[in-house]
Amino acid sequence: MTARARQHQRGRPIGAVARLLLPIFLAMSVTALFAMVWQSVGEQSDFAELERDGVRYIQALGPLEIALTNAGSAAVNDREAAPEELGRAVDAVAAVDRELGERLSTQDRWSGLRAKIEALPSEGDDAEIIAAYGTVGDLLLALMDKVRNSSKLVRDPDADLYYLGDGATQELPESIVAAARFTNLLTTLSDLSPAERSATLIDVSTAGSALASNARDLSDDVRLAVEGTGSQSLGSALLSRLDRFNRSVDTLLPLLTPLQSGRTGVDPEQVGRARDEMQAAAADLSAALLTQIDIGLADRISSLDQRRLLASGIFVFSVLLALTPAGLALLRRLRRPRPPESA
């Protein structure tokens, strides 16, 4: 045997081992990449699911806020409230908190808020009623803020959903609380002494400024969301409702102007009509905002599920493709006829 033949024979085992190990290394690399993609997609999906839980919780808090402000207005204006409305809203939030409270860390805050709601006065001194309902309103806003942070809505990576979340969970709820304080204080002015009237006018003006500021910020949020989205339906779903809400605010705020100049008194019926329209517009806009956020999150989760499915298909195909040569080599080895045994 020549030296060249002997060298070739020695190299064959090394080449065979390399051909066997290379597909295995490729399969291991593909597996590692697949694991990284699967984990990343899973984390994004879990993030979006947590946000959807936050949306569900806030969808229950919205009607509770409306019911509380209605009850406060009725108490200030010596009208009979509708306790069933507030009771249903409380029960709805209690049910959501039982399901999601541990996940969103809201149980203690909800327990404290519920206790304050159950202790609210239905009659008495107007200032005490306004103060009591104001405290409950602040606690409700704090609970919304807790949900917003615990559910990661405040950190949504998409600009459109981030701005919609800011509008639905901060600016709009604060607008409702400010409007309730504005109208409740406004209707008490005629019963106050000149000194009390002067001090209360300042509080009314402060509440009106807060309402106007929140309404502007809400409009900016919706505008930025519409400009930043790829959805063609978002603008049509929100802009008309936003216009209605802004019109209701523009109707409500000027009711203070004549009082500041001392020209006329307050018409409780006019204030009540303006407040009711603002509440209805706010409730409609809130529901639309939260629905659009939930749709966006559901679409994201669906897209992530498709990515997982695609990654699984690519992983299986790549592993099979990488291991095919080794499998064929093994099959050939098994089919190779054995040499006859010597006698």
Side-chain angles (χ1 to χ4, degrees):
M1 182 182 293
T2 66
R4 187 183 189 92
R6 287 194 298 269
Q7 183 179 7
H8 178 70
Q9 190 175 24
R10 287 195 300 269
R12 288 182 60 187
I14 298 176
V17 171
R19 286 194 299 272
L20 180 64
L21 292 180
L22 181 60
I24 296 175
F25 288 146
L26 289 175
M28 292 175 61
S29 299
V30 170
T31 301
L33 289 173
F34 171 75
M36 292 172 61
V37 171
W38 187 269
Q39 181 179 4
S40 175
V41 172
E43 290 173 353
Q44 294 177 61
S45 183
D46 291 343
F47 191 102
E49 289 286 2
L50 184 61
E51 287 185 279
R52 291 193 80 186
D53 287 343
V55 170
R56 282 184 56 204
Y57 203 117
I58 293 171
Q59 283 174 327
L61 287 176
L64 176 60
E65 184 177 32
I66 297 296
L68 280 170
T69 52
N70 286 339
S73 176
V76 169
N77 292 280
D78 299 323
R79 297 198 312 268
E80 185 176 352
E84 64 278 1
E85 177 190 8
L86 182 57
R88 285 195 301 269
V90 169
D91 291 341
V93 177
V96 171
D97 191 77
R98 282 195 297 272
E99 181 181 354
L100 302 175
E102 183 175 358
R103 179 168 165 82
L104 298 176
S105 303
T106 58
Q107 292 171 320
D108 291 341
R109 287 183 182 270
W110 166 239
S111 296
L113 173 59
R114 187 171 188 174
K116 288 291 186 180
I117 292 173
E118 292 171 351
L120 282 170
S122 58
E123 58 183 14
D125 181 73
D126 286 343
E128 293 178 355
I129 292 174
I130 291 173
Y133 277 89
T135 298
V136 168
D138 290 340
L139 290 175
L140 188 144
L141 291 177
L143 176 56
M144 281 196 175
D145 191 60
K146 179 64 175 179
V147 173
R148 182 171 175 245
N149 282 278
S150 296
S151 66
K152 309 295 179 62
L153 277 167
V154 72
R155 292 170 47 194
D156 191 275
D158 292 344
D160 54 345
L161 295 189
Y162 170 81
Y163 286 118
L164 290 181
D166 185 71
T169 64
Q170 182 173 5
E171 304 302 343
L172 186 54
E174 289 181 2
S175 296
I176 295 172
V177 168
R181 180 169 177 79
F182 178 84
T183 55
N184 287 341
L185 289 171
L186 198 60
T187 55
T188 64
L189 285 173
S190 57
D191 298 329
L192 300 177
S193 66
E196 292 173 328
R197 183 186 178 93
S198 177
T200 302
L201 273 174
I202 296 175
D203 293 337
V204 177
S205 180
T206 300
S209 297
L211 173 58
S213 176
N214 288 132
R216 285 193 301 271
D217 291 343
L218 175 60
S219 296
D220 289 341
D221 280 336
V222 174
R223 175 181 57 80
L224 290 168
V226 171
E227 291 176 354
T229 186
S231 171
Q232 300 297 321
S233 61
L234 185 60
S236 60
L238 297 179
L239 293 180
S240 61
R241 292 177 170 87
L242 178 64
D243 288 342
R244 180 191 176 190
F245 173 77
N246 285 331
R247 286 195 302 270
S248 71
V249 173
D250 291 340
T251 300
L252 197 59
L253 292 176
L255 298 177
L256 177 62
T257 303
L259 298 175
Q260 291 174 322
S261 61
R263 292 197 305 267
T264 184
V266 176
D267 182 354
E269 292 186 2
Q270 183 183 18
V271 174
R273 287 192 300 270
R275 189 198 74 87
D276 291 344
E277 170 58 18
M278 189 270 177
Q279 293 272 58
D284 187 33
L285 179 58
S286 176
L289 287 168
L290 293 170
T291 297
Q292 291 302 313
I293 295 170
D294 192 60
I295 290 173
L297 292 172
D299 288 345
R300 183 188 299 167
I301 292 171
S302 177
S303 177
L304 290 169
D305 288 341
Q306 292 176 6
R307 286 176 59 186
R308 273 183 165 177
L309 184 62
L310 179 61
S312 299
I314 294 174
F315 168 68
V316 172
F317 177 78
S318 300
V319 170
L320 290 176
L321 186 63
L323 295 180
T324 295
L328 292 175
L330 180 61
L331 185 61
R332 285 194 299 268
R333 182 180 293 274
L334 292 175
R335 289 180 175 179
R336 184 180 301 167
R338 296 179 179 179
E341 296 181 359
S342 58

